[in-house]
Amino acid sequence: MSWTDERVELLKKLWSDGLSASQIAAELGGITRNAVIGKVHRLGLSGRAKSTSSAAPRQRKARAPSHMLRSIGRPAIRGNTALAHAYDIEAEAEPELIDNIIPIGQRRTILELTEQTCRWPIGDPGSTEFFFCGGNTIAGLPYCAYHSRVAYQPAADRRRDRRSPAR
């Protein structure tokens, strides 16, 4: 479908009459509401006429007498009551890992890595100071004992960390 001059003029007329984009799309046929909105935007049309239904104030429904209304008590807890019974769990003190200082003789480049050397990257890969740990690996793992403790955490600890709110 292409926008002919006649269809554009009809679009302008219907838009100024206050029809919605959906109504205009139905009137023109073979076009979507979004296509109408896009064309109106590209044409820079604005200043729509108010539809008669929105110009007149709506009548309000009469309220029932107050003695017929049922009073519903509010709970004492406000806010998110789903979390009202959350209990604070004292977290076990996690042993802090001490900075692992890697001796210069142990450090490896990517070309020097083997199955027996720790492949933990240290530093920024874009810098000349970048290297791999190079320590002795634990059987079946790519890291030394220190870096394995950093990389592999028990599943229960990860779940607990995920549940605790970020502060």
Side-chain angles (χ1 to χ4, degrees):
M1 197 280 342
S2 64
W3 288 100
T4 63
D5 291 338
E6 295 133 5
R7 288 174 70 91
V8 171
E9 291 305 316
L10 183 57
L11 167 71
K12 288 179 181 178
K13 179 191 175 304
L14 296 173
W15 184 258
S16 65
D17 289 345
L19 269 67
S20 70
S22 297
Q23 292 169 330
I24 295 171
E27 186 75 27
L28 291 173
I31 192 169
T32 65
R33 170 187 166 274
N34 285 339
V36 170
I37 292 170
K39 189 63 174 179
V40 165
H41 181 71
R42 287 189 300 277
L43 291 171
L45 299 179
S46 62
R48 295 172 51 117
K50 298 285 183 191
S51 64
T52 57
S53 63
S54 66
R58 284 187 8 197
Q59 293 287 329
R60 291 190 172 210
K61 293 181 182 178
R63 290 186 64 179
S66 61
H67 70 277
M68 297 182 107
L69 293 176
R70 215 169 113 208
S71 171
I72 299 172
R74 291 190 172 190
I77 300 172
R78 294 193 181 255
N80 189 349
T81 57
L83 301 176
H85 297 289
Y87 300 102
D88 290 334
I89 300 172
E90 290 185 30
E92 295 174 16
E94 223 176 272
E96 258 185 60
L97 294 173
I98 302 167
D99 283 339
N100 190 15
I101 299 171
I102 296 150
I104 293 176
Q106 179 180 313
R107 298 176 184 185
R108 300 282 183 262
T109 65
I110 195 164
L111 298 174
E112 298 170 329
L113 291 176
T114 67
E115 291 293 320
Q116 292 77 32
T117 56
C118 178
R119 296 181 215 123
W120 188 268
I122 311 246
D124 179 19
S127 77
T128 57
E129 307 281 320
F130 179 74
F131 61 93
F132 292 89
C133 170
N136 293 328
T137 59
I138 298 176
L141 296 176
Y143 305 124
C144 63
Y146 175 82
H147 290 121
S148 292
R149 283 194 308 272
V150 174
Y152 304 111
Q153 299 173 4
D157 291 347
R158 284 183 297 199
R159 276 190 230 109
R160 184 178 62 227
D161 290 345
R162 207 173 317 146
R163 276 185 269 145
S164 66
R167 293 183 188 202

